[in-house]
Amino acid sequence: MRRVAYPFLTLSDAAVQAAPWSCSLNGDDWQVAGEFLADWDAESTTRFRRTLAIDPKVASSELGVVADHLALSIGLRVGTGPGRIPFVLRRECHRLSHGTWKQELEIELAGHQLSATIDLELYVILAAPPRQYAQLSPRQVANRLWSDTLRVRIEGEEPRFPIELADMRQLIGDTSAASAPWYLYWSPLDWNRDFHGAVRLYLNKDDSGLVSRVMESDEPTLQTVLADVMGQICERLLTESEAAGIIAEAEPGSIAAQASAWLGTAWPGKDIAFIRSLRDNRPGQFRSAFLVLAELGEV
């Protein structure tokens, strides 16, 4: 079902004949791409391909434009990273030939470019204004006429640390912190420790409301908890005088590598000095970025 009501006519799935995305990991056989890519790591090379064709008669009828006057292009946007706005790795645009109205797409992605997810958005746009058109026909170049998106989660980049119930007073002693709804157990003494083995989240067993919301996968609750986890680890890393060196030498799958992925996704292309300055002078903006990264359904 469409979520956007465009002010002009658009194409239905009957007009756009799009094959499913296919995927090949490290040169293996092609398979239909699903929502999760198993056996992936940062050294992997992943290829995706897809064929899209447009039926001229159906498209002409749906858009109210004579087929000979209709110029279309196929666009592709490749993104990566958690959050509602992924970091864009690549954009392509291919003008369709009137003789075929068909496009084969194939891309190759290096593992070191990717973080948490791969977003593949394919869309059809108007390539030129039609000379003759109906009242509701698209008329402006780049009017979007059809689109779909595939989000593929990749193994090894998500913070899949254990979550456990705990008696907080037994765990951290009879302090005010024992009343906290959750407690993140980890140590920054060795940034190259394996993330999934070194980080553990404990929920306060006495906080029945929180526990039930987590058990029910309540999105705002999980978003808040995960944002706190990311913010705590990243903020601590930024206090290290050699933070840039720690990141540069981080082992794949380590705490430092995971923190680096979060920071790089939140502030692509920015160095440690810039992020530190934002933390110090715009702490609210700094923390809000982790809420975006932790948004459920987008992670």
Side-chain angles (χ1 to χ4, degrees):
M1 296 179 62
R2 296 187 183 276
R3 296 183 179 180
V4 179
Y6 289 95
F8 49 79
L9 297 170
T10 58
L11 296 172
S12 70
D13 290 338
V16 182
Q17 300 157 5
W21 280 104
S22 295
C23 174
S24 172
L25 182 66
N26 296 324
D28 291 344
D29 293 339
W30 289 94
Q31 298 181 354
V32 175
E35 296 182 353
F36 181 74
L37 182 61
D39 302 321
W40 179 92
D41 60 45
E43 301 300 320
S44 298
T45 298
T46 311
R47 297 169 66 194
F48 290 90
R49 69 182 182 188
R50 190 179 192 184
T51 300
L52 183 146
I54 296 176
D55 187 313
K57 292 183 179 179
V58 178
S60 174
S61 174
E62 292 185 344
L63 298 178
V65 178
V66 176
D68 290 342
H69 298 164
L70 189 57
L72 302 176
S73 291
I74 303 295
L76 171 65
R77 182 184 63 82
V78 183
T80 189
R84 188 174 292 277
I85 306 176
F87 176 67
V88 177
L89 291 174
R90 184 180 307 176
R91 292 183 186 271
E92 297 180 5
C93 191
H94 305 272
R95 178 87 173 246
L96 293 177
S97 167
H98 276 285
T100 58
W101 282 32
K102 182 177 181 181
Q103 183 68 42
E104 295 182 357
L105 300 152
E106 184 170 329
I107 57 171
E108 181 175 296
L109 302 174
H112 66 83
Q113 297 177 293
L114 306 177
S115 172
T117 64
I118 304 168
D119 284 281
L120 302 170
E121 181 183 14
L122 198 60
Y123 49 89
V124 179
I125 60 175
L126 193 68
R131 294 194 300 274
Q132 297 180 11
Y133 47 82
Q135 184 175 4
L136 293 178
S137 298
R139 307 175 195 178
Q140 303 296 321
V141 173
N143 279 163
R144 184 170 293 214
L145 309 177
W146 177 93
S147 67
D148 76 355
T149 301
L150 174 66
R151 167 158 281 200
V152 181
R153 295 183 295 116
I154 55 179
E155 187 174 39
E157 286 296 298
E158 290 189 274
R160 294 173 296 170
F161 46 82
I163 300 179
E164 298 181 15
L165 299 183
D167 182 323
M168 290 296 207
R169 297 196 181 280
Q170 287 188 352
L171 185 65
I172 58 179
D174 191 14
T175 67
S176 59
S179 299
W182 64 83
Y183 165 64
L184 184 68
Y185 173 82
W186 72 290
S187 172
L189 296 179
D190 183 359
W191 288 99
N192 271 320
R193 285 192 64 190
D194 177 71
F195 181 90
H196 302 293
V199 178
R200 189 176 299 270
L201 181 67
Y202 291 99
L203 304 181
N204 191 331
K205 71 177 184 63
D206 295 327
D207 191 333
S208 58
L210 172 72
V211 173
S212 63
R213 290 194 298 274
V214 171
M215 296 284 289
E216 294 167 3
S217 297
D218 177 70
E219 293 189 4
T221 300
L222 293 177
Q223 180 183 5
T224 302
V225 172
L226 185 54
D228 178 65
V229 170
M230 291 191 287
Q232 183 179 149
I233 293 175
C234 290
E235 195 163 352
R236 177 61 180 83
L237 176 58
L238 292 173
T239 66
E240 298 280 358
S241 59
E242 301 297 327
I246 291 172
I247 290 174
E249 298 175 3
E251 297 289 338
S254 66
I255 301 174
Q258 181 61 71
S260 174
W262 286 329
L263 293 171
T265 303
W267 297 282
K270 301 300 184 181
D271 60 16
I272 291 296
F274 173 90
I275 302 174
R276 276 202 187 111
S277 176
L278 187 68
R279 177 203 61 188
D280 295 341
N281 299 300
R282 298 285 190 275
Q285 184 178 339
F286 176 82
R287 278 303 183 119
S288 294
F290 297 111
L291 284 168
V292 175
L293 295 189
E295 186 173 2
L296 267 292
E298 302 294 335
V299 174

